[in-house]
Amino acid sequence: MDQEASFYQFLEDQKVQCELCAHRCLIRPGRRGICHVRENQAGRLVSLNYGRLIAEHVDPIEKKPLYHFLPGSKAFSIAAPGCNLRCEWCQNWQISQAGAEVRFDRLPYVAPQAVVEDALRTGCRSIAYTYTEPTVFYEYTRDVARLAKSAGLKNIYVTNGYMTAEALIEITEWFDAANVDIKAFSPDVYRKMTGADLGPVLESCRALKKQGVWLEVTTLLVTGINDDRPQLEALADFISTELGTETPWHLSRYFPQYKSKAPMTSSRSLAMAEEIGRKKGLKFIYPGNVHASVETRCLSCDRVVLVRDDYELLENKLVEGCCPYCDSKIAGVFTGD
Ligand code: SF4
């Protein structure tokens, strides 16, 4: 499929400027952007990975992770190859960093309608754009999401948040929930470890919140990179003061992957991050990749209302999104309408 890209400007000598993500690549004819999936073909920017899915799975929504959005439901999860960041610890690097090598025309083409039909057939309540970076297959996510919305499904972006403000506004027309991965909180560390800038990620979080998209934040704790007290305090402070104390913060354990030589995240490091988050006022902090029972408590009466284990929802006591003991509303989206 020869899918023209959205969000770009024509420049002189057939050059183009892509404005989908905050890299804003200037691309000469015959060349690709940093993500390797958008190509300047004689002055026309083309999305090479449109409909070229490299992963399709039915996942528990808790795996995204989203803990306050339709708990216990299934999310039809899809990915096309590519990413606009270069994290050395990427947990999905085989597909996220595949843009440069992959022959897109050899991947099967999946029409947007087929994704929606598969989601409905498998009993999913949402479609999640995940595993790689959905921003870099934006046009496809938009086309699937429009159809999904008409079919009564929710749409979920699992993203690094590195899109432009103009792209984000359009995305929020179709998307109901997002999990943004804030990978570090020092601009220098962020730039060095991902090849990108922290500022646009924070702007995206603010904008998603403002646009009413349900937002949860994830931080993969990588020893020696982003797990020092100053970064974690600043990150927790940002979530608490700018996104709200009831924004869930997922602290994920890292396992050695790809180019990074960091060891597995220690339990001590996870506990320190959680303690920092609590001191900054965050109400919902969840460990990830730890194989443990994870509870959500009502903020009013402190009774347990949700319990999960390894992405499986074990208990859901909520009644229409409220605590069954004291009737207080729990932050999140718990009914499907
Ligand atoms: S999506 Fe980002 S990385 Fe890819 S071409 Fe556009 S600006 Fe560059």
Side-chain angles (χ1 to χ4, degrees):
M1 295 292 287
D2 187 14
Q3 173 71 39
E4 185 168 11
S6 305
F7 300 108
Y8 75 100
Q9 300 283 340
F10 299 98
L11 302 176
E12 73 287 356
D13 302 327
Q14 293 193 329
K15 287 184 274 192
V16 300
Q17 180 154 37
C18 179
E19 298 181 335
L20 176 59
C21 94
H23 284 304
R24 295 186 187 270
C25 297
L26 185 68
I27 310 172
R28 296 175 190 284
R31 307 297 292 268
R32 297 182 186 179
I34 289 171
C35 57
H36 298 293
V37 298
R38 293 165 88 78
E39 186 172 83
N40 180 343
Q41 296 181 354
R44 179 173 177 263
L45 191 62
V46 168
S47 166
L48 299 172
N49 59 358
Y50 186 94
R52 304 294 180 177
L53 295 186
I54 207 161
E56 287 180 88
H57 298 291
V58 174
D59 283 339
I61 201 158
E62 284 76 14
K63 197 173 176 182
K64 298 303 98 193
L66 285 176
Y67 278 12
H68 289 235
F69 190 87
L70 303 180
S73 68
K74 292 187 285 184
F76 195 78
S77 303
I78 62 169
C83 187
N84 47 357
L85 301 192
R86 296 284 172 268
C87 311
E88 294 195 349
W89 57 77
C90 183
Q91 306 278 292
N92 284 329
W93 62 275
Q94 294 94 335
I95 53 176
S96 72
Q97 303 301 316
E101 298 88 36
V102 77
R103 284 284 307 270
F104 294 99
D105 57 349
R106 291 198 181 156
L107 290 174
Y109 172 74
V110 182
Q113 185 64 38
V115 174
V116 174
E117 284 166 9
D118 282 348
L120 292 169
R121 182 179 49 77
T122 51
C124 292
R125 291 178 70 189
S126 58
I127 296 179
Y129 309 84
T130 180
Y131 307 131
T132 58
E133 175 48 44
T135 306
V136 304
F137 57 104
Y138 165 73
E139 293 78 8
Y140 189 69
T141 70
R142 174 200 60 205
D143 293 350
V144 175
R146 280 179 178 154
L147 295 171
K149 202 169 182 99
S150 324
L153 295 165
K154 303 289 186 194
N155 290 294
I156 297 163
Y157 243 49
V158 182
T159 176
N160 58 38
Y162 202 64
M163 63 277 283
T164 56
E166 51 270 39
L168 185 133
I169 287 296
E170 197 168 298
I171 285 167
T172 58
E173 275 184 48
W174 313 106
F175 291 88
D176 304 283
N179 186 305
V180 177
D181 188 352
I182 303 183
K183 296 167 186 291
F185 213 76
S186 148
D188 289 346
V189 172
Y190 200 93
R191 160 67 46 196
K192 186 166 167 235
M193 303 314 297
T194 70
D197 294 320
L198 175 62
V201 178
L202 306 186
E203 272 310 310
S204 292
C205 290
R206 293 183 186 106
L208 286 163
K209 190 82 189 170
K210 193 169 161 204
Q211 293 298 316
V213 173
W214 174 254
L215 175 63
E216 304 195 14
V217 171
T218 293
T219 301
L220 181 71
L221 283 179
V222 187
T223 307
I225 304 290
N226 62 5
D227 68 337
D228 56 278
R229 195 169 271 278
Q231 280 196 82
L232 291 172
E233 284 180 349
L235 173 46
D237 195 55
F238 168 77
I239 299 171
S240 179
T241 57
E242 300 213 35
L243 308 180
T245 56
E246 295 184 20
T247 304
W249 188 23
H250 299 267
L251 294 165
S252 287
R253 168 170 273 159
Y254 163 82
F255 291 96
Q257 280 281 352
Y258 196 34
K259 297 178 183 171
S260 172
K261 301 284 182 278
M264 184 183 86
T265 315
S266 67
S267 298
R268 202 165 142 225
S269 186
L270 286 164
M272 182 183 85
E274 180 169 350
E275 175 226 313
I276 287 170
R278 300 242 175 256
K279 281 194 179 151
K280 293 289 179 184
L282 295 179
K283 307 297 184 200
F284 301 113
I285 303 176
Y286 299 113
N289 295 341
V290 291
H291 306 300
S293 169
V294 179
E295 297 173 343
T296 298
R297 289 177 177 270
C298 170
L299 297 182
S300 297
C301 69
D302 202 36
R303 305 278 286 273
V304 174
V305 291
L306 291 158
V307 183
R308 318 148 189 92
D309 194 353
D310 240 359
Y311 306 128
E312 186 188 352
L313 185 72
L314 300 182
E315 279 185 68
N316 180 358
K317 295 183 177 164
L318 296 178
V319 179
E320 298 289 313
C322 294
C323 172
Y325 308 107
C326 71
D327 211 27
S328 297
K329 174 104 180 64
I330 308 297
V333 176
F334 299 103
T335 54
D337 308 326

